[in-house]
Structures are given as C-alpha cells and as structure tokens.
Amino acid sequence: METTEKKKRVLSMVQPTGTFTIGNYFGALKNFAALQDEYECVYAMADLHAITVRQEPKQLRENVYKSYALTLACGIDLDKSILFLQSQVPEHSQLAWILNCYTQFGELSRMTQFKDKSAKHADNINAGLFTYPCLMAADILLYQADYVPIGADQKQHLELTRNIAERFNGVYSPTFTVPDGIIPKNGARVMSLADPTKKMSKSDDNVNSFITLLDPRDTIIKKFKRAVTDSEACVRFAEGKDGINNLMGIYSAATGKTMEEIEAEFAGKGYGDFKVAVGETVADVLAPIQEKFAELYADKKYLEKCFAENAEKAHYIARKTVSKVMRKIGYINL
Ligand code: ATP
Ligand code: LTN
C-alpha cells in the first residue's frame, strides 16, 4: 500500500544586519538550500532581532532587501520553500511575549550571546537584547519545526527553545513540537581571520576579519593572505594552531575534503600557497552566488512581490499555533 508521509518541517532565520559572511554561509545558508527537497522549509530574515542593536533606518531597509536577495541567491527555491520577513508576520511578537512569561530570568542570564553583545554595546543593553532568545523560540515554535539548521553559536538558544517548549507542553498539554538542531560537520564555527579565537561575525568593526559573500575575488584572496596564522609553516590540524585550523576548516567546508586530505595536499608547501588556494576556492564557490544576487537585487519589485506572498504563507501557519496557544492559556479566542 502506498503511504504518503508528511514531510518534516525545517525553520531557520538570519539577521539582516549586514552582508552575510562565509560563516553565515557554511554554518547555515548552505544547508538551507540543501534541505529543500527532503523537508518543508520555512526561512526568514530576522529583522525584529536586528533592532536589539541600534540600526540606521535607511541602512536597515537596504540590508533587508540585500539579505533577502542573497539568501535567495544561495539557492532557495520559492516553489519549494517559504522565505519571509519576520516583521511582516505579527505572530512572532505575539508569541514572544507569551513565551517571556514561561522563561526564567536565570536562564536568559546564562546566554553567551547576551553577554557578548552587552559587552560590545555597553551603552545600549536593552531589554530586547536580554529577552531575544524568547523571540527566537517563538520563531521556531510557531511553525512546529522539527529541525533548525544553525551554526554552533546558536546551540545554546536552541537548547533553551527546547526547554521552553517542554515546559509549556508540561504545564498545559502537548502544544509545540520540540525541535532538533542541524549543525554542519564542517563550517559550524568559522572563526575571524584577524583573531581566530573569535567567531567570524558580519558586525565586526574590522572588515579584514571576515569574508562577505559579495567580496570581489581579489579582495577575498587579499584577506586570506592577511589571515593571522602561526610561525610553524606546516599545514596541519593541531591544538594551538587556531589560524591554520580555521583556514583548513573553511577549505574543508568549501571542498568536502577531510583534514588528512588537506594535510597531504599541502605537505611541504608554505602558508602562502595554502592561503591562496583557500582564497581561490572560496572565490569559486561565491562566484555563482554573486551573479545570481546581482540579478535579484536589481529587481526590487520582484523582491517586494516575494515579501508579500511569502509573509502570507507564513502567517497562515503561524496563526494556527497562536490560536492553539491562546486557547490553552485560557484566553477568549473567538
Ligand atoms: P551579527 O554579527 O549581526 O551578530 P552573525 O554574523 O553572528 O551576526 P547571524 O545572523 O546572527 O550572524 O547568524 C545567522 C546564522 O549564521 C546562524 O545560524 C548562525 O549560527 C550562523 N553563523 C553566524 N556566524 C557564524 C560563524 N562564524 N560560523 C558558522 N556559523 C555562523
Ligand atoms: N538568533 C539567530 C537568528 C535567528 C534564528 C531564529 C535562527 C533568529 N530566529 C530562528 C534559527 C531559528 C542568530 O543570531 N544567528
């Protein structure tokens, strides 16, 4: 007998806070496209999250168009997946408030992203920065997601999401699907080229610390040539060689080669040759994305049509969850 199994659902988001880096790509975006055939995928630009850090309105608007076009250019097919703007689906804010009331102050205080961002923006440690993980939990739980593709830095937030879901389900009755993370084997934690003990981040003040998906080929190679390494001059993966380990990780994520294969390929060669090879390989991976991006970004009318259609599809799913949650809590829900 033929069985038509319902596809499991995937959800993930990226903050439109600048041009995406290869950290965002290898950690998350690359997986977004890869999961589309097997799962029902819902993706979004987390523009509500973006304002936990002060944003200039014109710049934010531009970043949203740009990030959306870039995400599409990474291979999202809108006939298969949904890609929407978080601020256009009001249920995210609505459920986030509710989940705030099922999350403990102590739990939020332990979040390392909060600690890092409050150290970096000491003049603006706002309540949104603190309760941000509740909004992220709402993003995921609204869609009853089974899987969440993320980089390793988001593991702690996903764990909290699972705890909130289990708590709510326990207080009432099963309401939310408890999600699992999908963290890539290679590229889950791409480090800064300037300080390989720190995560590569698109909002880093030093532009040489990251490679963006839109960097021209010669800039990519130049930035890799400048990457901080060590003085051993031997391409091998080992403790204490953070810079080289990071470059090997990037090369591995771009080519699929193992660390042993990379060591063999560069045996007897210096860091100079290795850095150029990493740069050229990354530039080759990014070239088709850049080409597709240019086409999409030039057509804002098309992007706006996508925003509207996809927000409506997302809203349809999100609304059902909020309605269920309201009923369970005891709200009058006509
Ligand atoms: P910001 O600098 O604004 O804090 P970010 O560069 O850290 O942003 P996000 O929008 O917060 O990027 O992250 C989007 C996705 O990319 C998340 O799944 C996150 O885990 C992943 N990601 C971000 N940086 C890296 C990195 N350096 N290595 C691997 N994955 C990453
Ligand atoms: N918190 C994530 C971005 C994000 C997200 C989400 C990721 C917001 N909502 C839902 C996965 C699922 C970040 O800072 N990278």
Side-chain angles (χ1 to χ4, degrees), residues 273-291:
D273 288 347
F274 177 52
K275 286 175 166 180
V276 170
V278 179
E280 283 178 345
T281 307
V282 168
D284 288 345
V285 170
L286 299 186
I289 297 175
Q290 296 183 351
E291 206 174 301

Side-chain angles (χ1 to χ4, degrees), residues 157-300:
H157 289 158
L158 184 69
E159 204 45 51
L160 179 62
T161 301
R162 291 171 54 91
N163 291 341
I164 297 171
E166 279 165 357
R167 184 172 305 146
F168 194 96
N169 289 350
V171 171
Y172 301 97
S173 57
T175 308
F176 297 123
T177 303
V178 181
D180 283 308
I182 297 184
I183 297 176
K185 269 209 282 308
N186 291 322
R189 198 167 166 77
V190 176
M191 309 307 278
S192 153
L193 299 183
D195 175 359
T197 60
K198 254 178 45 189
K199 186 189 90 147
M200 182 182 284
S201 167
K202 61 176 126 65
S203 52
D204 198 311
D205 297 327
N206 177 3
V207 294
N208 288 319
S209 73
F210 55 75
I211 306 283
T212 81
L213 302 194
L214 297 179
D215 279 345
R217 190 178 188 87
D218 53 342
T219 307
I220 297 175
I221 295 171
K222 203 162 67 202
K223 285 185 181 177
F224 274 115
K225 278 188 181 164
R226 280 200 193 155
V228 169
T229 49
D230 54 69
S231 53
E232 193 197 28
C234 174
V235 179
R236 64 185 185 98
F237 194 89
E239 205 172 317
K241 288 173 69 75
D242 296 328
I244 286 295
N245 293 350
N246 187 36
L247 297 184
M248 289 177 77
I250 293 169
Y251 192 64
S252 166
T255 59
K257 292 180 183 165
T258 64
M259 294 304 167
E260 293 73 32
E261 285 168 340
I262 299 171
E263 285 173 1
E265 186 177 346
F266 293 96
K269 293 195 183 137
Y271 287 168
D273 288 347
F274 177 52
K275 286 175 166 180
V276 170
V278 179
E280 283 178 345
T281 307
V282 168
D284 288 345
V285 170
L286 299 186
I289 297 175
Q290 296 183 351
E291 206 174 301
K292 185 86 193 131
F293 167 80
E295 208 179 285
L296 289 161
Y297 191 53
D299 192 350
K300 291 210 165 151

Side-chain angles (χ1 to χ4, degrees), residues 10-12 31-33 35 41-44 76 81-84 149:
V10 159
L11 178 126
S12 197
N31 251 342
F32 286 12
L35 295 164
C41 297
V42 182
Y43 300 123
I76 305 295
S81 306
I82 300 177
L83 179 63
F84 70 101

Side-chain angles (χ1 to χ4, degrees), residues 11-13 15 46 49 113 132 136 139-140 148 150 154:
L11 178 126
S12 197
M13 300 196 181
Q15 299 194 58
H49 280 100
Q113 185 167 311
Y132 168 113
M136 175 160 163
D139 297 337
I140 298 168
V148 185
I150 38 171
Q154 294 301 311

